[in-house]
Amino acid sequence: ARAQRADDILSEGRHADAWAELQKIPPEDDEILEVLSVRCQTLLALRRFADALPLAQRVVELSPDETIHWSRLGMITRHTMGLEAAAAVYEKAVSMYPATGIFRYSLASRYCSLGRFDEAREHMALGLVLDPSWKQVALDDPALSEIWDVVAD
């Protein structure tokens, strides 16, 4: 109940209040997926990336089928460990879920930032076949300018 309340508070943009609500949850509930997930989201919103990283890793371990968990782990990893490590997260996600377009889009974005444009083009092209809804997002993302030729086709 407290995790849901914290999630509701978080959705209102009251990040510090959500964290205060989460602090009321007893330690024995810390391995409950919902609690871990809301803690992770709250720490991400508070930009406490180093604190969020182990939680994001644990959430992915407990619930690897949820794309949002992989996306959060990739984002948090980028902030804490850098682009190469974030690319590795998305590489693993792509290997486990090759038909999930958002992972290919995210991997293409990391590859662009790393100057790995041929690999970025490959993943972006396939990602847009799998989920064309990302096309406009990709065209609006200056980090992907080197591969806009693939996106615009």
Side-chain angles (χ1 to χ4, degrees):
R2 286 203 187 276
Q4 182 58 55
R5 172 133 172 75
D7 194 35
D8 292 344
I9 294 168
L10 184 62
S11 69
E12 295 170 1
R14 298 172 27 222
H15 308 145
D17 292 340
W19 185 249
E21 186 66 24
L22 287 166
Q23 297 308 100
K24 298 174 186 174
I25 295 174
E28 60 268 15
D29 291 348
D30 281 348
E31 279 295 306
I32 297 172
L33 178 61
E34 181 186 14
V35 173
L36 285 168
S37 181
V38 175
R39 281 190 198 281
C40 181
Q41 291 173 63
T42 304
L43 289 168
L44 179 60
L46 291 167
R47 303 188 59 78
R48 291 176 49 188
F49 303 114
D51 293 330
L53 181 60
L55 299 179
Q57 292 167 329
R58 184 68 180 135
V59 167
V60 165
E61 288 172 18
L62 292 173
S63 183
D65 294 338
E66 292 291 326
T67 57
I68 189 66
H69 299 323
W70 284 98
S71 295
R72 280 192 199 111
L73 177 58
M75 183 184 331
I76 292 166
T77 300
R78 181 176 58 85
H79 285 285
T80 57
M81 300 171 66
L83 291 168
E84 286 283 353
V89 168
Y90 291 117
E91 287 166 353
K92 184 169 183 178
V94 164
S95 74
M96 293 175 66
Y97 306 101
T100 303
I102 182 59
F103 296 149
R104 299 229 178 231
Y105 172 87
S106 297
L107 184 54
S109 180
R110 298 300 88 70
Y111 281 166
C112 272
S113 297
L114 292 165
R116 295 166 61 179
F117 301 119
D118 290 339
E119 292 166 287
R121 281 185 181 89
E122 178 184 325
H123 283 285
M124 182 59 71
L126 185 51
L128 290 174
V129 167
L130 294 168
D131 186 353
S133 69
W134 286 95
K135 182 175 183 168
Q136 192 58 53
V137 174
L139 288 170
D140 291 341
D141 187 345
L144 299 173
S145 63
E146 290 291 328
I147 64 166
W148 278 342
D149 57 318
V150 171
V151 178
D153 289 342

